[in-house]
Coordinates of all heavy atoms in Angstrom, one line a residue:
D1 N 321.0 128.4 -32.9 CA 322.3 128.2 -33.5 C 323.5 128.1 -32.5 O 324.3 127.2 -32.7 CB 322.7 129.3 -34.4 CG 321.8 129.4 -35.7 OD1 321.4 128.2 -36.2 OD2 321.4 130.5 -36.1
V2 N 323.5 128.8 -31.5 CA 324.5 128.6 -30.4 C 324.2 127.3 -29.7 O 325.2 126.7 -29.4 CB 324.4 129.8 -29.4 CG1 325.3 129.6 -28.2 CG2 324.8 131.2 -30.1
D3 N 323.0 127.0 -29.5 CA 322.7 125.8 -28.7 C 323.2 124.5 -29.6 O 323.8 123.6 -29.1 CB 321.3 125.6 -28.4 CG 320.8 126.4 -27.2 OD1 321.8 126.9 -26.6 OD2 319.6 126.4 -26.9
D4 N 322.9 124.6 -30.9 CA 323.3 123.5 -31.7 C 325.0 123.3 -31.5 O 325.5 122.2 -31.5 CB 323.1 123.8 -33.2 CG 321.5 123.6 -33.5 OD1 320.9 122.9 -32.6 OD2 321.1 124.2 -34.5
Y5 N 325.7 124.4 -31.6 CA 327.1 124.3 -31.4 C 327.5 123.9 -30.0 O 328.3 122.9 -29.9 CB 327.8 125.6 -31.8 CG 329.2 125.5 -31.3 CD1 330.2 125.1 -32.3 CD2 329.7 126.0 -30.1 CE1 331.6 125.0 -31.8 CE2 331.0 126.0 -29.7 CZ 332.0 125.4 -30.6 OH 333.2 125.5 -30.2
A6 N 327.0 124.4 -29.0 CA 327.4 124.1 -27.6 C 327.1 122.8 -27.2 O 327.9 122.1 -26.5 CB 326.8 125.2 -26.8
Y7 N 325.9 122.3 -27.5 CA 325.5 120.8 -27.1 C 326.6 119.9 -27.7 O 327.1 118.9 -26.9 CB 324.2 120.5 -27.7 CG 323.1 120.8 -26.7 CD1 322.2 121.8 -27.0 CD2 322.9 120.2 -25.5 CE1 321.1 122.1 -26.2 CE2 321.8 120.4 -24.6 CZ 321.0 121.5 -24.9 OH 320.0 121.8 -24.1
A8 N 326.9 120.1 -29.0 CA 327.9 119.2 -29.6 C 329.4 119.3 -28.9 O 330.0 118.5 -28.8 CB 328.0 119.4 -31.1
A9 N 329.7 120.6 -28.8 CA 331.0 121.0 -28.2 C 331.2 120.5 -26.9 O 332.2 120.0 -26.4 CB 331.3 122.5 -28.3
A10 N 330.0 120.6 -26.1 CA 330.1 120.0 -24.7 C 330.3 118.5 -24.7 O 331.1 118.0 -23.8 CB 328.8 120.5 -23.9
S11 N 329.5 117.9 -25.4 CA 329.7 116.5 -25.5 C 331.0 116.0 -25.9 O 331.6 115.1 -25.4 CB 328.6 115.9 -26.5 OG 328.8 114.5 -26.6
T12 N 331.6 116.8 -26.9 CA 332.9 116.4 -27.4 C 334.1 116.7 -26.3 O 334.9 115.8 -26.1 CB 333.3 117.5 -28.6 OG1 332.4 117.0 -29.6 CG2 334.6 117.1 -29.1
A13 N 334.0 117.7 -25.7 CA 334.9 118.1 -24.6 C 334.9 117.0 -23.4 O 336.0 116.4 -23.1 CB 334.7 119.5 -24.0
V14 N 333.7 116.7 -23.0 CA 333.7 115.6 -21.8 C 334.1 114.3 -22.4 O 334.8 113.7 -21.7 CB 332.3 115.6 -21.2 CG1 332.1 114.6 -20.2 CG2 331.9 116.9 -20.6
H15 N 333.7 113.9 -23.5 CA 334.1 112.7 -24.2 C 335.6 112.7 -24.3 O 336.2 111.5 -24.0 CB 333.4 112.5 -25.4 CG 333.7 111.1 -26.2 ND1 333.2 109.9 -25.6 CD2 334.6 110.8 -27.2 CE1 333.8 109.0 -26.4 NE2 334.6 109.5 -27.4
R16 N 336.3 113.7 -24.8 CA 337.7 113.6 -25.0 C 338.5 113.5 -23.6 O 339.6 113.0 -23.6 CB 338.1 114.9 -25.7 CG 337.6 114.7 -27.3 CD 338.2 115.7 -28.1 NE 337.8 115.5 -29.5 CZ 338.0 116.3 -30.6 NH1 338.7 117.4 -30.4 NH2 337.4 116.1 -31.7
I17 N 337.9 114.0 -22.5 CA 338.4 113.8 -21.3 C 338.1 112.5 -20.7 O 339.2 111.7 -20.1 CB 338.0 114.9 -20.2 CG1 338.5 116.3 -20.9 CG2 338.5 114.7 -19.0 CD1 337.8 117.4 -20.1
L18 N 337.0 111.9 -20.6 CA 336.6 110.7 -20.0 C 336.3 109.5 -20.9 O 336.1 108.4 -20.4 CB 335.3 111.0 -19.1 CG 335.4 112.1 -18.1 CD1 334.1 112.1 -17.3 CD2 336.5 111.9 -17.1
G19 N 336.3 109.9 -22.1 CA 335.9 108.7 -23.1 C 336.7 107.5 -23.0 O 336.1 106.3 -23.3
D20 N 337.9 107.6 -22.7 CA 338.8 106.3 -23.0 C 338.9 105.6 -21.5 O 339.7 104.7 -21.4 CB 340.2 106.8 -23.3 CG 340.3 107.2 -24.7 OD1 339.3 106.8 -25.6 OD2 341.1 108.0 -25.2
L21 N 338.3 106.1 -20.5 CA 338.3 105.4 -19.2 C 337.5 104.3 -19.1 O 336.5 104.1 -19.7 CB 337.9 106.5 -18.1 CG 338.7 107.8 -18.0 CD1 338.1 108.6 -16.8 CD2 340.2 107.4 -17.7
D22 N 337.9 103.2 -18.4 CA 336.9 102.0 -18.2 C 335.9 102.5 -17.2 O 336.0 103.5 -16.6 CB 337.8 100.9 -17.7 CG 338.5 101.2 -16.3 OD1 337.8 101.5 -15.3 OD2 339.8 101.2 -16.2
D23 N 334.8 101.7 -17.1 CA 333.7 102.0 -16.4 C 334.1 102.3 -14.9 O 333.6 103.3 -14.3 CB 332.6 100.9 -16.5 CG 331.8 101.0 -17.8 OD1 332.1 101.9 -18.6 OD2 330.9 100.2 -18.0
E24 N 334.9 101.6 -14.3 CA 335.3 101.7 -12.9 C 335.9 103.1 -12.7 O 335.5 103.8 -11.6 CB 336.2 100.6 -12.4 CG 336.5 100.7 -11.0 CD 337.4 99.6 -10.5 OE1 337.7 98.7 -11.4 OE2 337.9 99.6 -9.3
T25 N 336.9 103.5 -13.5 CA 337.5 104.7 -13.4 C 336.6 105.8 -13.6 O 336.6 107.0 -13.0 CB 338.9 104.8 -14.2 OG1 339.6 103.7 -14.0 CG2 339.7 106.0 -14.0
F26 N 335.9 105.7 -14.8 CA 334.8 106.7 -15.0 C 333.9 107.0 -13.9 O 333.6 108.1 -13.6 CB 334.1 106.1 -16.3 CG 332.9 107.1 -16.8 CD1 333.1 108.1 -17.6 CD2 331.6 107.0 -16.3 CE1 332.1 108.9 -18.1 CE2 330.5 107.8 -16.5 CZ 330.8 108.8 -17.6
T27 N 333.4 105.9 -13.3 CA 332.5 106.1 -12.1 C 333.4 106.8 -11.0 O 332.7 107.6 -10.3 CB 332.1 104.8 -11.6 OG1 331.4 104.2 -12.7 CG2 331.0 105.0 -10.4
A28 N 334.5 106.5 -10.8 CA 335.3 107.1 -9.7 C 335.4 108.7 -9.9 O 335.2 109.5 -8.9 CB 336.7 106.6 -9.6

């Protein structure tokens, strides 16, 4: 149950930080 939450939350957190970057900036 913890894993189910944490996997989704971790993906959400990183996506909200890097998700709008273009590939070049993302890679940097």
Side-chain angles (χ1 to χ4, degrees):
D1 292 325
V2 171
D3 281 354
D4 285 341
Y5 169 83
Y7 272 109
S11 175
T12 298
V14 174
H15 178 75
R16 291 187 178 179
I17 294 173
L18 303 183
D20 291 335
L21 300 180
D22 58 61
D23 280 357
E24 182 179 357
T25 308
F26 177 89
T27 299

